[in-house]
Structures are given as structure tokens and as C-alpha cells.
Amino acid sequence: MIKYIIKRLLYLIPVILGVSFIVFALLYITPGDPARNALGPSASEAAVKALRLEMGLDDPFLVQFGRYITNIFTKFDLGTSYITKSSVAMEILNRAGATVQLAFLSIAFAVLLGVPIGIICAIRQYSIFDNIAMIFALIGISMPVFWLGLLLIMFFSVSLGWFPSSGFSSPEQMVLPAVALGSQSVSVITRMTRSSMLEVIRQDYIQTAKAKGQRENVVIWKHALGNALIPIITIVGTQFGQLMGGALMTEVIFSIPGIGRLMVDSIKMRDMPMVLGCVLFVAVTFSIVNLIVDILYTFVDPRIKTKYV
């Protein structure tokens, strides 16, 4: 198992290289001058030219990219912001807490709601509850996060006044962002749980357990759910990674000072080091979550555990 974990962590190297190259190239060809943005429209051309030289923006693309990657792997340095002149790594660390907390609250909301609904839908297939749940699941998957966020603000904040419309420092402020971001995941997890449970409860060993007189609750929660967990864990891990990226629009709508909002502001100002640092943070977090999901497989299915022993 240790060798497998080390091997998966080494896979982060090509991930960092690939993501960095793609984002660096896109920012490089995007119109705009970071030096001009940093100094403002009233700065002289001489001042802008001097700052470009100081930043190394006049160097060829491969030279700039090579310098950036070298600093990451030799100094663990993500660079300095073009706009604020602060350390990118420190800025991300200061903002990461809100984003990770939002993602965890959203996935917890999605799991606590989606898994039970999916199980009930599988047990009562084609019932009224199943049909209604699947309709709402389809609506949840189809509705964009930013649109749902605005609807929640208009109804629960403006009309009813139950929850604040911005911020993320109190439990009341965390409710609407977590619901808005986690709604799509609820729908996805519900459908996956239903599909996985339907496949399991039709197996012969489930029918045998029922024939032996086992109570239906024991059969469902102990035998069926345990064998249906692998796809559910997979989709939960995938959804958590997507929530880290989906937090971008949610943080903007609810004015949450997290990685997503930082990335949007940095893109507007063409702050290349800050954008790259934010993207790398999301990519590495997603890879680590996938590793944790793979490790969880060994606790759910003993057959998988034997492959790592």
C-alpha cells in the first residue's frame, strides 16, 4: 500500500507539468499587458517597459515557462503576484480554508441527502416517490450553479430574510452557498446510488438472504449497500473534485473570499502567477482526493485490499 501511495504521489509531477503548460500557454496568448495592469492606465510607456523587463515578460515563452517550473520544483515557489506583490503560495493558503470548507459542506449535504434518496428510489422503483425524485434530480443536474445561487438569494435572503446573501464566517452564511453548490451533486449521487443499488438487489445472494428470513432493513443496509458502495464512493470523490472548481462561481455570487474568487479577480488582471497557483491548487487537491478514494476502496471491498498486500 505504501508503494502504491508513493507511486500515485509521483503522478502529481506530470499533472503539475501538464496543467501548468496549458494554463501558462493560454494566459500567454491572451490579450492584455500584466505590467500595464499593475501600474495603471496613467503610467508612462517607459515605466511599463521597465516593469516588463523586471518581471521577465519580454523573455520567450519557453524561457518564462521553464523559469516558473524550475522555481516550483527546486524552491517550492509559486511566484509573486504581479498586482499585489505578495507571495502566491501565502495568498492561496489564506484563501484555501474557505474554499475547502465550502466544498466539504457541499459534498456532505449531497451525500446526506443523495444516498438515502437513492436507496429509497431503488427499493421503491417506479413508485411515485421514485418518479418525483428522478424529476427533481434531472432538474438539479440541468440547473447551473450560478442561476440556482441567485434564486436562493432572491427567495431566502431578499424575500424571506432567513439567511445572509454574502459572507462565509457564520453558520447562517454557509447554508445558501453549500446548498447552491451541492445541489447538482445531490442529483448525481442520487442517480448513481439508485442505479448501483438496483444492480445489487437483483443479485442472487440478496434473494437468498431474504429467503433465509433476514429482515429487509438488514438486507438493504448490510448486504446490498455494502456491495453498492464502490460506484457511490467513486462518484462522491469525483463530485468533490468538481466542487472545488465549481466553487469559483459560487464564491463570486456569495462574496466568499476563497480560491475561486481570487482566481476570477486574477484572470481579470492577467495576474499569471496567481492564476497558475490557483489552478495548480485545484488540480493537486483533485488528485489527492482521487488517491483517498482509491484507498477507501480497500476498506469497502477486501478483494481490492489483497492487490496491495
Side-chain angles (χ1 to χ4, degrees):
M1 178 61 74
I2 299 298
K3 291 182 179 179
Y4 174 76
I5 294 175
I6 294 174
K7 182 180 179 181
R8 287 294 300 270
L9 291 176
L10 290 176
Y11 284 162
L12 290 177
I13 296 176
V15 169
I16 293 174
L17 289 173
V19 171
S20 300
F21 182 82
I22 294 173
V23 178
F24 201 98
L26 291 174
L27 291 174
Y28 185 81
I29 63 177
T30 301
D33 189 350
R36 172 63 67 181
N37 292 335
L39 294 176
S42 59
S44 64
E45 288 297 327
V48 172
K49 186 176 181 180
L51 184 58
R52 285 184 58 84
L53 185 63
E54 179 183 345
M55 292 179 173
L57 298 176
D58 291 331
D59 295 333
F61 169 78
L62 292 179
V63 173
Q64 294 185 42
F65 179 71
R67 182 168 56 235
Y68 180 77
I69 291 297
T70 301
N71 289 335
I72 289 179
F73 287 105
T74 60
K75 303 177 183 178
F76 301 102
D77 181 17
L78 294 176
T80 302
S81 170
Y82 288 163
I83 307 301
T84 64
K85 304 301 181 183
S86 61
S87 170
V88 171
M90 292 304 300
E91 192 72 28
I92 290 175
L93 287 176
N94 292 334
R95 301 282 194 110
T99 300
V100 173
Q101 188 176 8
L102 175 60
F104 269 111
L105 290 174
S106 301
I107 200 64
F109 165 73
V111 170
L112 293 176
L113 197 61
V115 172
I117 292 176
I119 293 173
I120 297 173
C121 288
I123 298 172
R124 302 178 180 178
Q125 188 182 16
Y126 303 133
S127 65
I128 295 178
F129 181 88
D130 182 27
N131 292 329
I132 294 176
M134 289 302 100
I135 291 174
F136 275 101
L138 181 61
I139 295 173
I141 293 175
S142 305
M143 185 174 293
V145 174
F146 69 88
W147 175 247
L148 178 59
L150 293 174
L151 291 179
L152 292 175
I153 290 174
M154 290 176 59
F155 186 72
F156 289 103
S157 296
V158 178
S159 299
L160 299 178
W162 289 359
F163 300 104
S165 60
S166 62
F168 202 70
S169 57
S170 66
E172 294 81 6
Q173 293 175 326
M174 299 177 184
V175 173
L176 294 185
V179 172
L181 184 58
S183 295
Q184 282 190 348
S185 297
V186 171
S187 303
V188 174
I189 292 173
T190 298
R191 292 168 65 91
M192 176 57 70
T193 303
R194 178 182 183 272
S195 176
S196 182
M197 286 292 294
L198 283 174
E199 183 178 351
V200 170
I201 61 179
R202 292 168 180 166
Q203 299 296 321
D204 292 338
Y205 62 86
I206 296 296
Q207 304 304 322
T208 302
K210 291 180 179 180
K212 287 182 177 180
Q214 288 277 8
R215 290 180 300 174
E216 185 176 2
N217 290 340
V218 176
V219 173
I220 294 300
W221 293 100
K222 183 178 180 180
H223 300 289
L225 182 59
N227 289 281
L229 276 179
I230 293 294
I232 298 173
I233 291 175
T234 302
I235 200 66
V236 169
T238 304
Q239 287 299 306
F240 182 81
Q242 292 180 357
L243 290 176
M244 291 293 295
L248 187 148
M249 291 304 302
T250 307
E251 290 178 0
V252 173
I253 293 171
F254 291 95
S255 299
I256 300 173
I259 299 295
R261 189 175 179 186
L262 177 63
M263 190 184 303
V264 171
D265 295 338
S266 301
I267 291 173
K268 292 179 181 179
M269 300 300 294
R270 289 198 77 242
D271 192 350
M272 189 180 298
M274 193 65 74
V275 175
L276 281 166
C278 293
V279 173
L280 286 178
F281 172 81
V282 174
V284 171
T285 303
F286 187 79
S287 299
I288 293 175
V289 169
N290 284 336
L291 173 60
I292 295 173
V293 168
D294 289 345
I295 295 174
L296 287 177
Y297 289 161
T298 63
F299 295 96
V300 175
D301 193 338
R303 295 171 297 180
I304 298 177
K305 187 175 184 178
T306 57
K307 297 180 181 180
Y308 303 120
V309 177

